[in-house]
């Protein structure tokens, strides 16, 4: 299980290739890569802040939960911080399991958690100089309810 919180960009294809390389104990690998979206067409960049140590610990705990809940063979979570331009990768989740349903569900669980609960703070800086923190969205919060036990 790997959790990386980093400023540097990453190559999703290379990460996925390394993640699944030489595995004969799994039947499914699911991955998702999130990118900076410019809904308004005026985004200059997004800045993501976090508390080193605390963030990794929080993500590792949810990875442990997903691993136990879906009997994952492996899991990878990469999340970036710092200034990110539109189209840049923000994060990647990859899950490996014996069966596809477990891999898909675990990946969705992790993505929902990262979107709503991981300790990151996102600020959008527009080309006109205005700024604003990204608020939690009701849909993202609602997505978490399906994972309640």
């Amino acid at each position: 299980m790997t959790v990386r919180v980093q400023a540097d960009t990453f190559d999703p294809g290379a990460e996925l290739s390394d993640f699944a390389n030489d595995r004969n104990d799994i039947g499914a690998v699911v991955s998702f890569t999130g990118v900076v979206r410019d809904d308004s067409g005026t985004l200059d960049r997004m800045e993501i802040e976090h508390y080193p140590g605390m963030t990794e610990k929080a993500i590792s705990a949810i990875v442990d939960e997903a691993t136990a809940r879906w009997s994952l063979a492996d899991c990878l979570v990469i999340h970036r911080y710092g200034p990110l331009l539109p189209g840049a990768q923000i994060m990647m989740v990859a899950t490996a399991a014996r069966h596809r349903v477990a891999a898909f569900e675990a990946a969705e669980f992790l993505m929902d958690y990262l979107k709503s609960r991981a300790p990151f703070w996102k600020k959008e800086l527009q080309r006109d100089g205005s700024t604003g923190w990204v608020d939690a969205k009701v849909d993202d919060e609602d997505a978490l309810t399906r994972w309640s036990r």
Side-chain angles (χ1 to χ4, degrees):
M1 307 305 160
T2 302
V3 172
R4 294 191 338 242
V5 178
Q6 62 191 49
D8 295 333
T9 192
F10 58 90
D11 178 338
E15 295 289 347
L16 189 57
S17 180
D18 288 346
F19 178 74
N21 192 32
D22 294 328
R23 299 295 302 256
N24 60 10
D25 60 329
I26 57 175
V29 172
V30 170
S31 71
F32 173 84
T33 302
V35 298
V36 177
R37 180 179 57 236
D38 183 4
D39 286 332
S40 66
T42 62
L43 183 68
D44 180 62
R45 69 187 180 280
M46 177 181 283
E47 292 186 358
I48 300 176
E49 299 178 10
H50 77 109
Y51 289 116
M54 181 182 87
T55 304
E56 293 85 350
K57 184 177 178 180
I59 295 171
S60 292
I62 205 68
V63 165
D64 290 346
E65 182 178 338
T67 299
R69 191 168 177 175
W70 284 279
S71 300
L72 296 178
D74 206 354
C75 182
L76 168 68
V77 174
I78 303 169
H79 204 297
R80 294 181 63 200
Y81 64 89
L84 303 173
L85 299 177
Q89 296 99 345
I90 294 179
M91 56 80 69
M92 178 179 181
V93 167
T95 57
R98 291 186 50 79
H99 303 285
R100 66 181 165 85
V101 171
F104 272 108
E105 287 181 357
E108 285 186 296
F109 171 80
L110 289 164
M111 291 179 299
D112 288 345
Y113 169 81
L114 288 167
K115 183 75 173 169
S116 299
R117 293 289 187 270
F120 291 101
W121 295 268
K122 300 172 185 174
K123 182 172 29 174
E124 292 183 335
L125 292 87
Q126 305 299 324
R127 281 183 245 148
D128 67 3
S130 63
T131 64
W133 292 101
V134 177
D135 293 326
K137 293 181 176 68
V138 173
D139 290 347
D140 295 333
E141 291 297 316
D142 289 346
L144 288 175
T145 61
R146 68 183 168 149
W147 306 115
S148 299
R149 289 187 176 196

